[in-house]
Amino acid sequence: RDNEYIFSLFAVGADQRAMDEPYELKLTTVGYIQIADVLPAPDSTEIEADAAVTVIFSRPIVPLVSIADQANLPSPLTIEPEAEGKGEWLNTSIYIFYPDPPLNGGTTYTVTVTAGLEGVNGAILGEPYVWSFSTQFPEVLSVSPRNSTSSYAGGRNQDLPLMPLAPEYVVTFTQPMDPTTQNGIRIEGL
């Protein structure tokens, strides 16, 4: 693999005259696949939970096929912890994985492209390519009813309407949360 060979042809004609110069043919055998780039970048942090995972290869890995035939193409990635979603080849050398549902917040993911992946011309990935990235932690975007910082006059807030005795609390986060988590939100009285 990945070697250059030079073939020299010396010929003598029927009249016993040799060629002035030998004919040279240079050929290089099929080499190795390289990873040209990955997204999210290795060791990056604060990546959005719905970010796509992209691998750009140095040479074609799959043949050019119709969208209908994409399902028959290989998926070159493994993601730990496991992530559900859909992968597709953007072209013959770029693979994109779209997580669905989004990745977990505040989690470090390790992505591996397994050694032995073979391209359309017989080139292989000689060693596994492994990188990691971390997703951002969930943050609160808004809370309703909202917090009051205004002054009280006569024991009553003049800027906000009175709060009902059984209010509905709505907390909006920057990413999907597990609705079955009972211990994640705590309301404390005054």
Side-chain angles (χ1 to χ4, degrees):
R1 285 190 176 274
D2 204 26
N3 281 308
E4 183 178 275
Y5 292 91
I6 301 173
F7 298 91
S8 297
L9 174 65
F10 299 93
V12 177
D15 60 358
Q16 300 301 314
R17 292 186 56 207
M19 295 172 50
D20 290 337
E21 294 179 17
Y23 175 79
E24 287 190 353
L25 174 64
K26 293 182 183 180
L27 298 174
T28 303
T29 57
V30 172
Y32 294 94
I33 296 169
Q34 302 294 321
I35 305 297
D37 202 4
V38 293
L39 296 170
D43 302 320
S44 56
T45 58
E46 296 296 314
I47 301 302
E48 292 184 20
D50 62 352
V53 178
T54 304
V55 180
I56 303 171
F57 296 94
S58 62
R59 36 179 99 216
I61 305 301
V62 296
L64 192 57
V65 297
S66 69
I67 292 173
D69 291 333
Q70 282 250 348
N72 300 326
L73 298 177
S75 173
L77 305 180
T78 57
I79 302 174
E80 291 294 330
E82 190 174 342
E84 293 180 36
K86 180 182 180 229
E88 69 181 20
W89 288 91
L90 182 62
N91 59 30
T92 60
S93 60
I94 298 175
Y95 183 81
I96 302 175
F97 176 80
Y98 300 98
D100 185 23
L103 302 172
N104 296 324
T107 303
T108 298
Y109 285 89
T110 301
V111 184
T112 303
V113 182
T114 307
L117 177 68
E118 188 172 338
V120 292
N121 67 350
I124 63 167
L125 184 64
E127 296 180 6
Y129 186 89
V130 180
W131 84 98
S132 296
F133 63 90
S134 299
T135 54
Q136 60 188 197
F137 283 91
E139 294 181 9
V140 174
L141 280 178
S142 65
V143 176
S144 175
R146 63 185 173 91
N147 193 16
S148 172
T149 57
S150 61
S151 61
Y152 286 85
R156 199 171 148 210
N157 184 325
Q158 300 299 312
D159 296 335
L160 295 174
L162 292 174
M163 189 158 103
L165 292 176
E168 177 181 78
Y169 294 96
V170 178
V171 181
T172 305
F173 295 92
T174 56
Q175 55 190 264
M177 303 299 288
D178 182 357
T180 63
T181 303
Q182 301 281 329
N183 299 327
I185 298 176
R186 186 175 65 236
I187 300 174
E188 295 179 3
L190 296 175

